[in-house]
Amino acid sequence: MFGDEGDPVVLVGRSRELAGVRRQLAGGRPLVVTGEPGMGKSAFLGVLARQLAEERGLPVHRVRVADFGLRSDVTLLRLLGACGEAGSRALAEVVGHVPAMVPNAVVHVCRQLFLAHPAVVVVDGVPTGTAADRLLADLVSAFSRTLSFLLVGSADARPPQGAQVALCHLRPLDRADASALILETAGSRGPTAVAELPEELVEAASGNPLLARVVGAQLAAAMESGRLPTVFRLPAPTWMSDEARGLLDSLAALGAEELPADLVHTLGDRPATAVRELCRYELLHPTGEGTLRLHPLIRSLVVRDWSDAELDGRAADAAQALVDAAEENPAAFGDHPAAFVGLVDRAIVANEFVDPLADQLAQRGRLAELLVLRQVLWARTGEVTLEVPLAVATRESGQPELAAALLGAHAPEGDALLEQAVTACQRGLLAEADHHLSTLPSGRGADAWTLLTRATVHCDRGDLRAAGPLLRRAVEAHQVAGDRRGEAWTVFQYGRLCLLRGEVEDAEKLLYSAREAFHAVGEARGVAWAGTELGRLSLQLGLTGPEDLVEEARFLHEAEGDRRGAAWADLWWVLAKVDRFGSTWKNLFPAVTQHFRDVSDRLGQAWALHHHALTLARETGTDEGRNEADLLFDEATQLFEAADCPHGRAWTLLERALHDPSHRFLNHRWAGDVRDSFRVIGDEAGEAWVDLAESAIGTAPPYELARRCPPALLDAVEWTEDGDLLIPRAARYTQPEPRPGTYHPDAARSHVRLTLLDDIPAPDTASRIALKVVPGVHHPWSTGPLPPLTARAVPLTHADIEPLHAISTEAAEFRFTPHRPGRHRIRFTLADQATGTVLQQVETEIDVIASSSPVPRMTAPEPARRA
């Protein structure tokens, strides 16, 4: 299979060239491998890169030039984007330059990066021409005086005069090697027995390794079906299916050498089957990086008989199909939104697509691709654009301070101000974030993302009173706008709010719901954050194994380049270790604190210092240990004050007073200060903890705590022989509301009951579903008639449901028609008819099985969110 560096088939007849190149590279010179299209340059470079990397212990970075033009600034920017975290930091040095200065800046930045971080770099697909020669000159300059290996694949690019460059030209295979490659390829495709190849098969390959593999693949298929072992047509056999032929034509029309597999599957009919068939005939090649490659030689054979008008029309149709898929479902961008940048560069997508593409790149922190997009647009129009998305991408790639500077230099308009607020929030500067939100234009106050940002600031400060109403309005605004990504982030924040309130069951449901919503819209960063909060929830409940959950989330954060998310996952991981295995894990706290410092998150840094100090204070009885803890407590207090986080400040002052004899609650001065910090955010539970701290040794928790906190938490409260009160670590995670007295919380709620009225739903057959509102015994509706309600049903799978709206004071009935067997999901939204306020959303699942199968089941409804 093409691209498998361990497969000897791809290097038949190249052993002599490989040995010669290894001798030339002994001096560390750049290597340029040339040859006609299809000569196996990519496979040759892949094997060589793997050998060098294994021998020297170096990483391998690879970029392909063909899909993004020949400008060196574009190629080097993409190369930096392939270099992980070090590349992101290097890119930050380029962001502040105007487009005209980027070409020189990026050469310098690359040289510095590969001097500090040696690697094996493969730059493939460099065609011929003057532009290619200039690109090669800049590449050689960028790698001069470094310890990195530069391997370039080109049709015929000429290295700069006087440069110390190793050269290797791959020539056509001789008849014996071409015959061997055809037979080996045919044998790898299936049982093939050919004593001697017909001469016309060898001549069809023309000594070209790629065509030899195509011939071998067709030979295997012909022999399996009993056909004569002759080539019927290049590049595709005459018996290829219409679906595969249509997909091949679409890919050839696009002109992109590589495309993500997810995007390829949005083209044509039965794309999965078509892709397998094209790969079987060696016309489409998996690269091993989640992409599929259509070799330029294969493309040229496909389009050779097309007129220019036909090529342009097919290219426009194929590009529009990709754009439609991306607009309908942002998950189509997947992990490869950069593929669309190449389409923009070749101007085969509409200009209107640039803004949503820039937003997608910014949200995912794809700084390199966004810089490439800016360079492309600047070369076309001469205008400097995308400044706000660039700042956002800089922030999301772990450079929030630089992002704040870029946004501050921008005109103070709505988008820039909102992103300044988000950036300040992520830096732990909550007062600054609040200031930016207050200066937004009046029309932006009800914007869904503005509401969500305000709620996030309230939660981070520990002031939960206004967060709930803000989130309810944000959910409704996102739903009205059809913004599924924004709705997912709001549901996530609502789950986080419930966790802070101590409403664990609701928090768990909302966080799982948010994680599924993130999956649905391709928001990998959101998936990681939901996993981090679910791990935190397990830690809060004292369950076993929370470190496994947050460790998995940390890997997801790191894979997405989200350094801030990884730092928070690190904090919960260390706390899980400390809580389960003792203070021997305290030595990890400084590294976590540094991670927060690296991403300028003052709030995270403050909480890491708080927990480090708390761990030290509880394990040591020496003056030296107590002094070290006090210094950490003081530093955390200063950071909480700078962040405008009364919640963190109050708990830090409280714990410092509890574990420092010089600040015991003797004159109530410290107690009053701590109590005021809790009171300013309405944290009555925090005030109750201060009351307990002022009590005599061994005093039981006061009634105010008993009616708020679960018994397991209060059972963990301890008094030491020295009179120290040990408040469980989990107490500072929540501000619990009072619990009901003698009845179950569900008794004060209304529930939705769904009943399937007919037997056995079958595909394309309607069944009735009854919806009924059942008030709890302590709910106000239990003693009188229900108010007029609106129930709206939306199928989330391939099914129809009618009516879409039903109005009733007690019940509603819907007709559900599935169009395929399997599990179907339906979401029901109940709202107050008079005001339109959403009261509840529930989802249910119905298993629809073929009529000959057992009776299907309908699951009980589950709240999607409680408004």
Side-chain angles (χ1 to χ4, degrees):
M1 179 67 69
F2 184 87
D4 184 351
E5 297 171 358
D7 191 338
V9 172
V10 301
L11 287 185
V12 168
R14 299 302 188 198
S15 57
R16 184 178 59 186
E17 288 92 338
L18 187 61
V21 164
R22 295 301 310 272
R23 289 192 296 271
Q24 291 189 73
L25 289 176
R29 293 180 294 171
L31 169 69
V32 179
V33 177
T34 59
E36 297 176 3
M39 285 297 157
K41 296 184 292 295
S42 297
F44 186 87
L45 291 171
V47 171
L48 182 59
R50 177 173 55 81
Q51 292 178 354
L52 291 172
E54 291 177 353
E55 292 170 4
R56 308 298 176 94
L58 299 176
V60 177
H61 306 306
R62 169 185 174 273
V63 293
R64 183 173 296 279
V65 175
D67 290 347
F68 287 83
L70 292 174
R71 297 199 314 276
S72 58
D73 56 342
V74 168
T75 299
L76 292 176
L77 286 171
R78 293 179 58 231
L79 178 56
L80 290 174
C83 293
E85 184 176 327
S88 295
R89 289 196 296 268
L91 283 166
E93 299 181 34
V94 183
V95 174
H97 291 81
V98 296
M101 299 297 295
V102 167
N104 291 332
V106 76
V107 170
H108 172 74
V109 168
C110 275
R111 186 182 300 121
Q112 296 299 112
L113 173 68
F114 291 111
L115 182 62
H117 302 279
V120 179
V121 175
V122 178
V123 181
D124 201 4
V126 179
T128 59
T130 304
D133 296 341
R134 286 198 298 267
L135 169 60
L136 186 54
D138 283 339
L139 286 170
V140 171
S141 175
F143 282 83
S144 64
R145 299 188 300 278
T146 73
L147 299 178
S148 297
F149 289 90
L150 173 63
L151 312 178
V152 179
S154 172
D156 193 23
R158 293 167 295 181
Q161 188 173 7
Q164 296 296 313
V165 177
L167 298 173
C168 176
H169 183 70
L170 299 183
R171 294 177 173 80
L173 302 176
D174 59 26
R175 189 186 188 286
D177 286 335
S179 299
L181 182 53
I182 292 172
L183 288 173
E184 289 193 46
T185 303
S188 68
R189 295 295 181 186
T192 304
V194 179
E196 185 175 355
L197 288 175
E199 185 65 28
E200 57 267 29
L201 292 183
V202 182
E203 291 179 355
S206 303
N208 188 295
L210 174 60
L211 294 182
R213 290 196 300 275
V214 173
V215 170
Q218 292 190 22
L219 173 62
M223 296 295 290
E224 288 176 6
S225 60
R227 298 185 182 93
L228 293 176
T230 57
V231 176
F232 296 92
R233 185 174 184 272
L234 286 175
T238 56
W239 61 81
M240 179 181 286
S241 69
D242 292 341
E243 293 85 359
R245 166 59 69 180
L247 179 59
L248 181 62
D249 288 347
S250 294
L251 293 173
L254 277 173
E257 190 168 334
E258 289 186 359
L259 271 180
D262 292 343
L263 296 180
V264 172
H265 283 85
T266 65
L267 299 171
D269 300 323
R270 299 176 62 202
T273 302
V275 166
R276 285 195 296 270
E277 187 173 356
L278 292 176
C279 290
R280 179 188 180 193
Y281 293 128
E282 291 281 350
L283 303 176
L284 198 62
H285 302 123
T287 67
E289 301 171 354
T291 59
L292 294 166
R293 183 187 182 207
L294 180 69
H295 196 282
L297 176 59
I298 301 298
R299 178 180 184 269
S300 67
L301 294 174
V302 173
V303 306
R304 58 187 168 185
D305 297 328
W306 295 357
S307 66
D308 291 343
E310 183 180 7
L311 177 58
D312 292 342
R314 288 175 178 265
D317 291 342
Q320 191 59 48
L322 292 179
V323 170
D324 290 344
E327 290 178 341
E328 180 179 350
N329 179 15
F333 283 96
D335 294 327
H336 308 279
F340 288 92
V341 178
L343 302 181
V344 173
D345 190 18
R346 296 196 302 278
I348 59 175
V349 294
N351 291 333
E352 291 76 11
F353 188 65
V354 170
D355 287 341
L357 173 59
D359 289 340
Q360 288 284 337
L361 294 169
Q363 292 159 11
R364 287 171 166 79
R366 304 296 289 266
L367 187 55
E369 289 85 357
L370 197 53
L371 280 166
V372 169
L373 182 60
R374 186 180 70 165
Q375 294 299 109
V376 165
L377 296 175
W378 173 72
R380 183 186 303 170
T381 66
E383 297 179 357
V384 179
T385 58
L386 307 181
E387 298 306 297
V388 172
L390 267 174
V392 174
T394 304
R395 179 187 72 212
E396 297 302 322
S397 61
Q399 306 283 339
E401 290 190 341
L402 176 58
L406 293 171
L407 290 166
H410 196 273
E413 45 88 25
D415 288 343
L417 285 172
L418 178 57
E419 295 302 341
Q420 280 182 303
V422 174
T423 304
C425 187
Q426 292 191 9
R427 295 171 66 200
L429 299 176
L430 305 179
E432 182 179 321
D434 200 38
H435 168 72
H436 290 310
L437 291 170
S438 67
T439 57
L440 280 169
S442 57
R444 296 295 297 270
D447 174 80
W449 286 100
T450 300
L451 295 168
L452 174 57
T453 306
R454 287 188 188 278
T456 303
V457 171
H458 279 283
C459 288
D460 287 349
R461 292 186 75 246
D463 188 352
L464 309 185
R465 293 167 294 187
L470 288 169
L471 289 173
R472 285 194 288 273
R473 291 171 58 196
V475 166
E476 294 171 2
H478 281 306
Q479 289 175 338
V480 169
D483 186 350
R484 297 168 59 204
R485 174 178 172 270
E487 184 179 356
W489 276 110
T490 307
V491 172
F492 165 78
Q493 188 61 40
Y494 216 128
R496 183 167 173 258
L497 172 63
C498 289
L499 188 56
L500 292 170
R501 284 176 171 166
E503 300 167 358
V504 178
E505 292 182 1
D506 289 341
E508 185 177 30
K509 291 178 181 178
L510 288 165
L511 290 172
Y512 273 116
S513 178
R515 189 168 68 175
E516 292 304 312
F518 286 134
H519 272 299
V521 298
E523 186 80 347
R525 291 189 173 218
V527 173
W529 273 101
T532 296
E533 289 299 305
L534 285 168
R536 176 188 176 190
L537 182 148
S538 297
L539 179 63
Q540 185 170 317
L541 292 177
L543 303 178
T544 58
E547 62 269 25
D548 295 334
L549 291 173
V550 291
E551 186 170 29
E552 180 182 355
R554 180 180 62 185
F555 290 147
L556 292 175
H557 285 301
E558 291 174 346
E560 287 301 306
D562 185 358
R563 298 164 60 203
R564 177 172 171 267
W568 279 101
D570 272 340
L571 175 60
W572 303 125
W573 184 82
V574 171
L575 290 180
K577 290 292 187 182
V578 169
D579 286 350
R580 287 190 65 193
F581 304 112
S583 59
T584 54
W585 291 83
K586 69 180 183 298
N587 294 329
L588 297 177
F589 278 114
V592 177
T593 305
Q594 185 60 45
H595 292 164
F596 283 117
R597 189 178 291 115
D598 290 341
V599 294
S600 305
D601 187 345
R602 290 160 179 78
L603 195 58
Q605 186 181 344
W607 278 113
L609 290 168
H610 171 96
H611 286 290
H612 189 189
L614 180 63
T615 304
L616 286 176
R618 291 185 175 181
E619 73 149 3
T620 182
T622 65
D623 290 340
E624 182 180 358
R626 187 176 292 112
N627 289 337
E628 183 181 358
D630 286 346
L631 290 174
L632 293 174
F633 275 132
D634 290 343
E635 187 178 355
T637 301
Q638 294 170 7
L639 285 169
F640 281 125
E641 290 173 347
D644 189 32
C645 179
H647 177 69
R649 178 181 183 274
W651 273 104
T652 305
L653 290 176
L654 176 59
E655 291 292 357
R656 191 186 192 286
L658 286 173
H659 299 286
D660 184 352
S662 64
H663 292 97
R664 296 277 187 194
F665 295 95
L666 301 178
N667 57 16
H668 303 287
R669 181 179 61 83
W670 275 57
D673 192 8
V674 176
R675 188 177 281 107
D676 287 344
S677 294
F678 283 123
R679 185 178 296 122
V680 76
I681 55 175
D683 187 357
E684 296 178 357
E687 293 186 68
W689 285 112
V690 178
D691 293 339
L692 179 60
E694 288 189 295
S695 304
I697 298 176
T699 302
Y703 170 74
E704 190 61 39
L705 287 178
R707 78 189 191 103
R708 292 174 181 271
C709 301
L713 177 64
L714 298 182
D715 290 343
V717 174
E718 297 181 37
W719 292 88
T720 68
E721 294 181 359
D722 296 332
D724 290 336
L725 171 64
L726 303 182
I727 301 176
R729 200 187 297 267
R732 71 213 65 223
Y733 300 156
T734 62
Q735 301 174 36
E737 297 292 317
R739 296 182 299 156
T742 57
Y743 55 87
H744 194 273
D746 282 349
R749 300 173 180 170
S750 288
H751 298 270
V752 175
R753 178 182 298 162
L754 298 175
T755 306
L756 187 63
L757 299 178
D758 300 308
D759 298 331
I760 314 179
D764 298 316
T765 302
S767 300
R768 294 172 300 154
I769 298 175
L771 181 150
K772 183 177 179 61
V773 177
V774 182
V777 294
H778 294 286
H779 194 279
W781 292 351
S782 64
T783 58
L786 297 181
L789 304 176
T790 298
R792 178 166 59 92
V794 177
L796 303 180
T797 50
H798 190 41
D800 292 326
I801 193 162
E802 57 182 8
L804 293 179
H805 293 79
I807 300 175
S808 173
T809 56
E810 294 184 356
E813 187 173 301
F814 299 86
R815 291 174 63 83
F816 165 69
T817 306
H819 295 305
R820 60 165 176 75
R823 178 162 294 182
H824 288 264
R825 293 171 58 210
I826 309 171
R827 177 182 295 168
F828 296 88
T829 303
L830 276 75
D832 183 276
Q833 182 182 344
T835 65
T837 302
V838 175
L839 303 176
Q840 179 113 16
Q841 279 191 334
V842 296
E843 292 180 7
T844 190
E845 294 179 348
I846 301 178
D847 288 340
V848 176
I849 311 176
S851 58
S852 59
S853 301
V855 176
R857 63 184 179 86
M858 174 177 176
T859 65
E862 184 175 53
R865 65 187 63 80
R866 192 172 71 245

